[in-house]
PDB file of all heavy atoms in Angstrom:
ATOM      1  N   SER A 500     172.768 143.142  92.560  1.00  0.00           N
ATOM      2  CA  SER A 500     172.909 143.979  91.363  1.00  0.00           C
ATOM      3  C   SER A 500     172.200 145.311  91.540  1.00  0.00           C
ATOM      4  O   SER A 500     172.560 146.311  90.926  1.00  0.00           O
ATOM      5  CB  SER A 500     172.338 143.256  90.146  1.00  0.00           C
ATOM      6  OG  SER A 500     170.955 143.028  90.313  1.00  0.00           O
ATOM      7  N   ASN A 501     171.203 145.313  92.388  1.00  0.00           N
ATOM      8  CA  ASN A 501     170.480 146.541  92.662  1.00  0.00           C
ATOM      9  C   ASN A 501     171.312 147.473  93.552  1.00  0.00           C
ATOM     10  O   ASN A 501     171.354 148.682  93.335  1.00  0.00           O
ATOM     11  CB  ASN A 501     169.161 146.181  93.349  1.00  0.00           C
ATOM     12  CG  ASN A 501     168.278 147.379  93.488  1.00  0.00           C
ATOM     13  OD1 ASN A 501     168.535 148.412  92.889  1.00  0.00           O
ATOM     14  ND2 ASN A 501     167.250 147.237  94.279  1.00  0.00           N
ATOM     15  N   ARG A 508     175.199 155.804  92.980  1.00  0.00           N
ATOM     16  CA  ARG A 508     174.660 157.177  93.107  1.00  0.00           C
ATOM     17  C   ARG A 508     175.111 157.832  94.402  1.00  0.00           C
ATOM     18  O   ARG A 508     175.409 159.032  94.430  1.00  0.00           O
ATOM     19  CB  ARG A 508     173.138 157.135  92.998  1.00  0.00           C
ATOM     20  CG  ARG A 508     172.697 156.843  91.573  1.00  0.00           C
ATOM     21  CD  ARG A 508     171.265 156.348  91.445  1.00  0.00           C
ATOM     22  NE  ARG A 508     171.125 155.566  90.223  1.00  0.00           N
ATOM     23  CZ  ARG A 508     170.648 154.330  90.157  1.00  0.00           C
ATOM     24  NH1 ARG A 508     170.243 153.706  91.245  1.00  0.00           N
ATOM     25  NH2 ARG A 508     170.561 153.710  89.005  1.00  0.00           N
TER      26      ARG A 508
ATOM     27  P    DT C 380     180.218 148.060  86.076  1.00  0.00           P
ATOM     28  OP1  DT C 380     181.382 148.707  85.456  1.00  0.00           O
ATOM     29  OP2  DT C 380     179.213 148.840  86.809  1.00  0.00           O
ATOM     30  O5'  DT C 380     179.451 147.243  84.943  1.00  0.00           O
ATOM     31  C5'  DT C 380     180.165 146.308  84.144  1.00  0.00           C
ATOM     32  C4'  DT C 380     179.187 145.590  83.215  1.00  0.00           C
ATOM     33  O4'  DT C 380     178.394 144.654  83.958  1.00  0.00           O
ATOM     34  C3'  DT C 380     178.204 146.499  82.482  1.00  0.00           C
ATOM     35  O3'  DT C 380     178.307 146.226  81.090  1.00  0.00           O
ATOM     36  C2'  DT C 380     176.839 146.109  83.040  1.00  0.00           C
ATOM     37  C1'  DT C 380     177.073 144.674  83.479  1.00  0.00           C
ATOM     38  N1   DT C 380     176.225 144.182  84.594  1.00  0.00           N
ATOM     39  C2   DT C 380     175.543 143.007  84.436  1.00  0.00           C
ATOM     40  O2   DT C 380     175.575 142.342  83.425  1.00  0.00           O
ATOM     41  N3   DT C 380     174.809 142.620  85.531  1.00  0.00           N
ATOM     42  C4   DT C 380     174.691 143.293  86.728  1.00  0.00           C
ATOM     43  O4   DT C 380     174.003 142.842  87.636  1.00  0.00           O
ATOM     44  C5   DT C 380     175.424 144.526  86.825  1.00  0.00           C
ATOM     45  C7   DT C 380     175.371 145.332  88.079  1.00  0.00           C
ATOM     46  C6   DT C 380     176.152 144.913  85.761  1.00  0.00           C
ATOM     47  P    DA C 381     177.529 147.140  79.992  1.00  0.00           P
ATOM     48  OP1  DA C 381     178.411 147.202  78.809  1.00  0.00           O
ATOM     49  OP2  DA C 381     177.037 148.388  80.609  1.00  0.00           O
ATOM     50  O5'  DA C 381     176.262 146.226  79.630  1.00  0.00           O
ATOM     51  C5'  DA C 381     176.447 144.852  79.332  1.00  0.00           C
ATOM     52  C4'  DA C 381     175.112 144.211  78.984  1.00  0.00           C
ATOM     53  O4'  DA C 381     174.487 143.716  80.185  1.00  0.00           O
ATOM     54  C3'  DA C 381     174.093 145.150  78.331  1.00  0.00           C
ATOM     55  O3'  DA C 381     173.441 144.456  77.277  1.00  0.00           O
ATOM     56  C2'  DA C 381     173.150 145.515  79.467  1.00  0.00           C
ATOM     57  C1'  DA C 381     173.174 144.231  80.293  1.00  0.00           C
ATOM     58  N9   DA C 381     172.905 144.422  81.714  1.00  0.00           N
ATOM     59  C8   DA C 381     173.370 145.419  82.522  1.00  0.00           C
ATOM     60  N7   DA C 381     172.975 145.312  83.779  1.00  0.00           N
ATOM     61  C5   DA C 381     172.198 144.169  83.787  1.00  0.00           C
ATOM     62  C6   DA C 381     171.488 143.509  84.800  1.00  0.00           C
ATOM     63  N6   DA C 381     171.454 143.932  86.062  1.00  0.00           N
ATOM     64  N1   DA C 381     170.817 142.379  84.473  1.00  0.00           N
ATOM     65  C2   DA C 381     170.849 141.952  83.207  1.00  0.00           C
ATOM     66  N3   DA C 381     171.483 142.483  82.171  1.00  0.00           N
ATOM     67  C4   DA C 381     172.141 143.605  82.530  1.00  0.00           C
ATOM     68  P    DT C 382     172.357 145.209  76.329  1.00  0.00           P
ATOM     69  OP1  DT C 382     172.455 144.563  75.013  1.00  0.00           O
ATOM     70  OP2  DT C 382     172.482 146.668  76.477  1.00  0.00           O
ATOM     71  O5'  DT C 382     170.974 144.771  76.970  1.00  0.00           O
ATOM     72  C5'  DT C 382     170.671 143.381  77.105  1.00  0.00           C
ATOM     73  C4'  DT C 382     169.391 143.194  77.880  1.00  0.00           C
ATOM     74  O4'  DT C 382     169.605 143.454  79.284  1.00  0.00           O
ATOM     75  C3'  DT C 382     168.238 144.109  77.458  1.00  0.00           C
ATOM     76  O3'  DT C 382     167.195 143.300  76.936  1.00  0.00           O
ATOM     77  C2'  DT C 382     167.827 144.824  78.747  1.00  0.00           C
ATOM     78  C1'  DT C 382     168.413 143.938  79.819  1.00  0.00           C
ATOM     79  N1   DT C 382     168.740 144.618  81.101  1.00  0.00           N
ATOM     80  C2   DT C 382     168.282 144.061  82.272  1.00  0.00           C
ATOM     81  O2   DT C 382     167.619 143.036  82.302  1.00  0.00           O
ATOM     82  N3   DT C 382     168.634 144.746  83.403  1.00  0.00           N
ATOM     83  C4   DT C 382     169.374 145.919  83.483  1.00  0.00           C
ATOM     84  O4   DT C 382     169.620 146.426  84.552  1.00  0.00           O
ATOM     85  C5   DT C 382     169.819 146.438  82.219  1.00  0.00           C
ATOM     86  C7   DT C 382     170.627 147.695  82.188  1.00  0.00           C
ATOM     87  C6   DT C 382     169.487 145.770  81.098  1.00  0.00           C
ATOM     88  P    DA C 383     165.943 143.978  76.142  1.00  0.00           P
ATOM     89  OP1  DA C 383     165.642 143.077  75.020  1.00  0.00           O
ATOM     90  OP2  DA C 383     166.205 145.416  75.912  1.00  0.00           O
ATOM     91  O5'  DA C 383     164.763 143.850  77.201  1.00  0.00           O
ATOM     92  C5'  DA C 383     164.585 142.624  77.902  1.00  0.00           C
ATOM     93  C4'  DA C 383     163.684 142.857  79.081  1.00  0.00           C
ATOM     94  O4'  DA C 383     164.437 143.453  80.163  1.00  0.00           O
ATOM     95  C3'  DA C 383     162.523 143.829  78.783  1.00  0.00           C
ATOM     96  O3'  DA C 383     161.298 143.217  79.143  1.00  0.00           O
ATOM     97  C2'  DA C 383     162.824 145.046  79.639  1.00  0.00           C
ATOM     98  C1'  DA C 383     163.651 144.446  80.767  1.00  0.00           C
ATOM     99  N9   DA C 383     164.549 145.410  81.406  1.00  0.00           N
ATOM    100  C8   DA C 383     165.335 146.343  80.807  1.00  0.00           C
ATOM    101  N7   DA C 383     166.015 147.081  81.652  1.00  0.00           N
ATOM    102  C5   DA C 383     165.657 146.605  82.888  1.00  0.00           C
ATOM    103  C6   DA C 383     166.019 146.958  84.191  1.00  0.00           C
ATOM    104  N6   DA C 383     166.882 147.932  84.472  1.00  0.00           N
ATOM    105  N1   DA C 383     165.468 146.265  85.213  1.00  0.00           N
ATOM    106  C2   DA C 383     164.602 145.289  84.934  1.00  0.00           C
ATOM    107  N3   DA C 383     164.172 144.854  83.746  1.00  0.00           N
ATOM    108  C4   DA C 383     164.751 145.570  82.762  1.00  0.00           C
ATOM    109  P    DC C 384     159.853 143.912  78.776  1.00  0.00           P
ATOM    110  OP1  DC C 384     159.008 142.891  78.140  1.00  0.00           O
ATOM    111  OP2  DC C 384     160.130 145.216  78.117  1.00  0.00           O
ATOM    112  O5'  DC C 384     159.231 144.221  80.213  1.00  0.00           O
ATOM    113  C5'  DC C 384     159.262 143.205  81.199  1.00  0.00           C
ATOM    114  C4'  DC C 384     158.999 143.831  82.554  1.00  0.00           C
ATOM    115  O4'  DC C 384     160.164 144.561  82.985  1.00  0.00           O
ATOM    116  C3'  DC C 384     157.830 144.829  82.555  1.00  0.00           C
ATOM    117  O3'  DC C 384     156.920 144.442  83.582  1.00  0.00           O
ATOM    118  C2'  DC C 384     158.503 146.166  82.839  1.00  0.00           C
ATOM    119  C1'  DC C 384     159.749 145.743  83.607  1.00  0.00           C
ATOM    120  N1   DC C 384     160.867 146.722  83.569  1.00  0.00           N
ATOM    121  C2   DC C 384     161.463 147.121  84.769  1.00  0.00           C
ATOM    122  O2   DC C 384     161.045 146.642  85.828  1.00  0.00           O
ATOM    123  N3   DC C 384     162.476 148.018  84.747  1.00  0.00           N
ATOM    124  C4   DC C 384     162.901 148.509  83.583  1.00  0.00           C
ATOM    125  N4   DC C 384     163.901 149.387  83.612  1.00  0.00           N
ATOM    126  C5   DC C 384     162.314 148.123  82.347  1.00  0.00           C
ATOM    127  C6   DC C 384     161.308 147.233  82.376  1.00  0.00           C
TER     128       DC C 384
ATOM    129  P    DA D1001     168.388 159.381  89.047  1.00  0.00           P
ATOM    130  OP1  DA D1001     168.753 160.282  90.142  1.00  0.00           O
ATOM    131  OP2  DA D1001     169.404 158.858  88.094  1.00  0.00           O
ATOM    132  O5'  DA D1001     167.647 158.108  89.660  1.00  0.00           O
ATOM    133  C5'  DA D1001     166.715 158.305  90.714  1.00  0.00           C
ATOM    134  C4'  DA D1001     165.981 157.008  90.971  1.00  0.00           C
ATOM    135  O4'  DA D1001     165.308 156.621  89.770  1.00  0.00           O
ATOM    136  C3'  DA D1001     166.876 155.834  91.360  1.00  0.00           C
ATOM    137  O3'  DA D1001     166.602 155.483  92.717  1.00  0.00           O
ATOM    138  C2'  DA D1001     166.487 154.708  90.405  1.00  0.00           C
ATOM    139  C1'  DA D1001     165.196 155.220  89.767  1.00  0.00           C
ATOM    140  N9   DA D1001     165.074 154.804  88.376  1.00  0.00           N
ATOM    141  C8   DA D1001     165.880 155.156  87.332  1.00  0.00           C
ATOM    142  N7   DA D1001     165.520 154.621  86.194  1.00  0.00           N
ATOM    143  C5   DA D1001     164.419 153.860  86.514  1.00  0.00           C
ATOM    144  C6   DA D1001     163.568 153.036  85.750  1.00  0.00           C
ATOM    145  N6   DA D1001     163.736 152.836  84.441  1.00  0.00           N
ATOM    146  N1   DA D1001     162.553 152.422  86.390  1.00  0.00           N
ATOM    147  C2   DA D1001     162.393 152.623  87.703  1.00  0.00           C
ATOM    148  N3   DA D1001     163.122 153.372  88.527  1.00  0.00           N
ATOM    149  C4   DA D1001     164.125 153.967  87.858  1.00  0.00           C
ATOM    150  P    DG D1002     167.304 154.265  93.392  1.00  0.00           P
ATOM    151  OP1  DG D1002     167.409 154.611  94.821  1.00  0.00           O
ATOM    152  OP2  DG D1002     168.495 153.899  92.604  1.00  0.00           O
ATOM    153  O5'  DG D1002     166.233 153.088  93.248  1.00  0.00           O
ATOM    154  C5'  DG D1002     164.994 153.226  93.921  1.00  0.00           C
ATOM    155  C4'  DG D1002     164.156 151.972  93.695  1.00  0.00           C
ATOM    156  O4'  DG D1002     163.905 151.818  92.285  1.00  0.00           O
ATOM    157  C3'  DG D1002     164.816 150.674  94.161  1.00  0.00           C
ATOM    158  O3'  DG D1002     163.812 149.871  94.794  1.00  0.00           O
ATOM    159  C2'  DG D1002     165.283 150.020  92.854  1.00  0.00           C
ATOM    160  C1'  DG D1002     164.250 150.522  91.863  1.00  0.00           C
ATOM    161  N9   DG D1002     164.734 150.649  90.484  1.00  0.00           N
ATOM    162  C8   DG D1002     165.737 151.450  90.035  1.00  0.00           C
ATOM    163  N7   DG D1002     165.921 151.369  88.735  1.00  0.00           N
ATOM    164  C5   DG D1002     164.982 150.458  88.318  1.00  0.00           C
ATOM    165  C6   DG D1002     164.702 149.964  87.024  1.00  0.00           C
ATOM    166  O6   DG D1002     165.253 150.242  85.955  1.00  0.00           O
ATOM    167  N1   DG D1002     163.662 149.042  87.037  1.00  0.00           N
ATOM    168  C2   DG D1002     162.971 148.657  88.173  1.00  0.00           C
ATOM    169  N2   DG D1002     162.001 147.748  88.004  1.00  0.00           N
ATOM    170  N3   DG D1002     163.222 149.113  89.376  1.00  0.00           N
ATOM    171  C4   DG D1002     164.236 150.008  89.377  1.00  0.00           C
ATOM    172  P    DT D1003     164.252 148.569  95.584  1.00  0.00           P
ATOM    173  OP1  DT D1003     163.195 148.288  96.575  1.00  0.00           O
ATOM    174  OP2  DT D1003     165.648 148.741  96.023  1.00  0.00           O
ATOM    175  O5'  DT D1003     164.199 147.420  94.486  1.00  0.00           O
ATOM    176  C5'  DT D1003     162.963 146.768  94.224  1.00  0.00           C
ATOM    177  C4'  DT D1003     163.082 145.847  93.041  1.00  0.00           C
ATOM    178  O4'  DT D1003     163.415 146.604  91.861  1.00  0.00           O
ATOM    179  C3'  DT D1003     164.217 144.837  93.116  1.00  0.00           C
ATOM    180  O3'  DT D1003     163.852 143.723  93.882  1.00  0.00           O
ATOM    181  C2'  DT D1003     164.388 144.472  91.638  1.00  0.00           C
ATOM    182  C1'  DT D1003     163.822 145.670  90.888  1.00  0.00           C
ATOM    183  N1   DT D1003     164.799 146.334  89.992  1.00  0.00           N
ATOM    184  C2   DT D1003     164.766 146.023  88.659  1.00  0.00           C
ATOM    185  O2   DT D1003     163.979 145.225  88.179  1.00  0.00           O
ATOM    186  N3   DT D1003     165.695 146.667  87.891  1.00  0.00           N
ATOM    187  C4   DT D1003     166.641 147.575  88.320  1.00  0.00           C
ATOM    188  O4   DT D1003     167.432 148.086  87.537  1.00  0.00           O
ATOM    189  C5   DT D1003     166.632 147.848  89.738  1.00  0.00           C
ATOM    190  C7   DT D1003     167.607 148.814  90.303  1.00  0.00           C
ATOM    191  C6   DT D1003     165.713 147.226  90.500  1.00  0.00           C
ATOM    192  P    DA D1004     164.838 142.456  93.972  1.00  0.00           P
ATOM    193  OP1  DA D1004     164.348 141.565  95.037  1.00  0.00           O
ATOM    194  OP2  DA D1004     166.201 142.994  94.033  1.00  0.00           O
ATOM    195  O5'  DA D1004     164.641 141.713  92.583  1.00  0.00           O
ATOM    196  C5'  DA D1004     163.362 141.209  92.227  1.00  0.00           C
ATOM    197  C4'  DA D1004     163.476 140.428  90.919  1.00  0.00           C
ATOM    198  O4'  DA D1004     163.936 141.311  89.878  1.00  0.00           O
ATOM    199  C3'  DA D1004     164.464 139.265  90.986  1.00  0.00           C
ATOM    200  O3'  DA D1004     163.892 138.097  90.426  1.00  0.00           O
ATOM    201  C2'  DA D1004     165.661 139.749  90.186  1.00  0.00           C
ATOM    202  C1'  DA D1004     165.087 140.797  89.251  1.00  0.00           C
ATOM    203  N9   DA D1004     166.015 141.916  89.028  1.00  0.00           N
ATOM    204  C8   DA D1004     166.593 142.705  89.988  1.00  0.00           C
ATOM    205  N7   DA D1004     167.378 143.636  89.500  1.00  0.00           N
ATOM    206  C5   DA D1004     167.315 143.453  88.126  1.00  0.00           C
ATOM    207  C6   DA D1004     167.930 144.120  87.039  1.00  0.00           C
ATOM    208  N6   DA D1004     168.757 145.163  87.199  1.00  0.00           N
ATOM    209  N1   DA D1004     167.645 143.679  85.803  1.00  0.00           N
ATOM    210  C2   DA D1004     166.823 142.646  85.668  1.00  0.00           C
ATOM    211  N3   DA D1004     166.180 141.935  86.596  1.00  0.00           N
ATOM    212  C4   DA D1004     166.470 142.400  87.825  1.00  0.00           C
ATOM    213  P    DT D1005     164.716 136.735  90.411  1.00  0.00           P
ATOM    214  OP1  DT D1005     163.695 135.675  90.552  1.00  0.00           O
ATOM    215  OP2  DT D1005     165.832 136.841  91.364  1.00  0.00           O
ATOM    216  O5'  DT D1005     165.334 136.644  88.957  1.00  0.00           O
ATOM    217  C5'  DT D1005     164.490 136.873  87.821  1.00  0.00           C
ATOM    218  C4'  DT D1005     165.300 136.709  86.548  1.00  0.00           C
ATOM    219  O4'  DT D1005     166.039 137.927  86.307  1.00  0.00           O
ATOM    220  C3'  DT D1005     166.325 135.576  86.604  1.00  0.00           C
ATOM    221  O3'  DT D1005     166.197 134.791  85.433  1.00  0.00           O
ATOM    222  C2'  DT D1005     167.677 136.296  86.672  1.00  0.00           C
ATOM    223  C1'  DT D1005     167.375 137.616  85.977  1.00  0.00           C
ATOM    224  N1   DT D1005     168.175 138.769  86.443  1.00  0.00           N
ATOM    225  C2   DT D1005     168.739 139.612  85.506  1.00  0.00           C
ATOM    226  O2   DT D1005     168.616 139.440  84.308  1.00  0.00           O
ATOM    227  N3   DT D1005     169.449 140.670  86.036  1.00  0.00           N
ATOM    228  C4   DT D1005     169.651 140.954  87.373  1.00  0.00           C
ATOM    229  O4   DT D1005     170.305 141.921  87.714  1.00  0.00           O
ATOM    230  C5   DT D1005     169.039 140.033  88.298  1.00  0.00           C
ATOM    231  C7   DT D1005     169.188 140.260  89.773  1.00  0.00           C
ATOM    232  C6   DT D1005     168.335 138.999  87.798  1.00  0.00           C
ATOM    233  P    DA D1006     167.063 133.423  85.280  1.00  0.00           P
ATOM    234  OP1  DA D1006     166.225 132.473  84.521  1.00  0.00           O
ATOM    235  OP2  DA D1006     167.617 133.037  86.597  1.00  0.00           O
ATOM    236  O5'  DA D1006     168.270 133.892  84.357  1.00  0.00           O
ATOM    237  C5'  DA D1006     167.994 134.674  83.202  1.00  0.00           C
ATOM    238  C4'  DA D1006     169.295 135.071  82.540  1.00  0.00           C
ATOM    239  O4'  DA D1006     169.819 136.270  83.162  1.00  0.00           O
ATOM    240  C3'  DA D1006     170.399 134.017  82.641  1.00  0.00           C
ATOM    241  O3'  DA D1006     171.073 133.933  81.396  1.00  0.00           O
ATOM    242  C2'  DA D1006     171.306 134.559  83.734  1.00  0.00           C
ATOM    243  C1'  DA D1006     171.174 136.064  83.503  1.00  0.00           C
ATOM    244  N9   DA D1006     171.466 136.879  84.678  1.00  0.00           N
ATOM    245  C8   DA D1006     171.138 136.625  85.980  1.00  0.00           C
ATOM    246  N7   DA D1006     171.540 137.553  86.819  1.00  0.00           N
ATOM    247  C5   DA D1006     172.180 138.479  86.021  1.00  0.00           C
ATOM    248  C6   DA D1006     172.829 139.691  86.295  1.00  0.00           C
ATOM    249  N6   DA D1006     172.945 140.198  87.524  1.00  0.00           N
ATOM    250  N1   DA D1006     173.362 140.368  85.251  1.00  0.00           N
ATOM    251  C2   DA D1006     173.252 139.865  84.030  1.00  0.00           C
ATOM    252  N3   DA D1006     172.660 138.725  83.636  1.00  0.00           N
ATOM    253  C4   DA D1006     172.140 138.081  84.690  1.00  0.00           C
TER     254       DA D1006
END
Side-chain angles (χ1 to χ4, degrees):
Chain A
S500 63
N501 188 12
R508 288 161 205 126

